[in-house]
């Protein structure tokens, strides 16, 4: 499976989730953790309920593969 096997919006959402998670995990003053947590929750819901998952042959493996591929390829989030 390659990044191109997943819909673009799903790949971009996973990349945004990774970016948000990394920002939340980075050490810094507690100035905007609430907004980051809210964004992470929203992106998690978008990832979980994306229509692509109804057609995925092996759901757990496909979810795992998406995370691995986005991390490996460093897919940049669309602005």
């Amino acid at each position: 499976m390659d990044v191109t096997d997943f819909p673009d919006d799903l790949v971009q959402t996973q990349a945004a989730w990774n970016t948000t998670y990394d920002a939340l995990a980075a050490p810094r003053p507690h100035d905007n953790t609430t907004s980051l947590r809210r964004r992470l929750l929203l992106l998690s819901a978008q990832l979980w309920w994306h229509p692509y998952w109804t057609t995925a042959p092996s759901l757990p493996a496909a979810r795992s593969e998406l995370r691995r591929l986005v991390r490996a390829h460093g897919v940049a989030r669309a602005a």
Side-chain angles (χ1 to χ4, degrees):
M1 204 172 254
D2 193 9
V3 174
T4 57
D5 293 340
F6 293 106
D8 288 339
D9 64 324
L10 183 58
V11 171
Q12 294 302 321
T13 303
Q14 181 65 55
W17 190 97
N18 291 350
T19 301
T20 304
Y21 183 87
D22 292 343
L24 189 57
R28 73 189 168 302
H30 301 287
D31 57 347
N32 67 344
T33 58
T34 301
S35 62
L36 288 172
R37 281 188 270 151
R38 286 180 180 155
R39 178 156 174 73
L40 195 64
L41 183 59
L42 175 69
L43 292 167
S44 295
Q46 289 174 355
L47 284 169
W48 186 262
W49 296 109
H50 193 280
Y52 171 78
W53 301 124
T54 60
T55 63
S58 173
L59 192 58
R63 287 184 193 275
S64 195
E65 184 68 6
L66 173 65
R67 287 190 301 271
R68 187 190 70 73
L69 287 172
V70 170
R71 281 275 186 212
H73 290 287
V75 176
R77 186 181 76 153

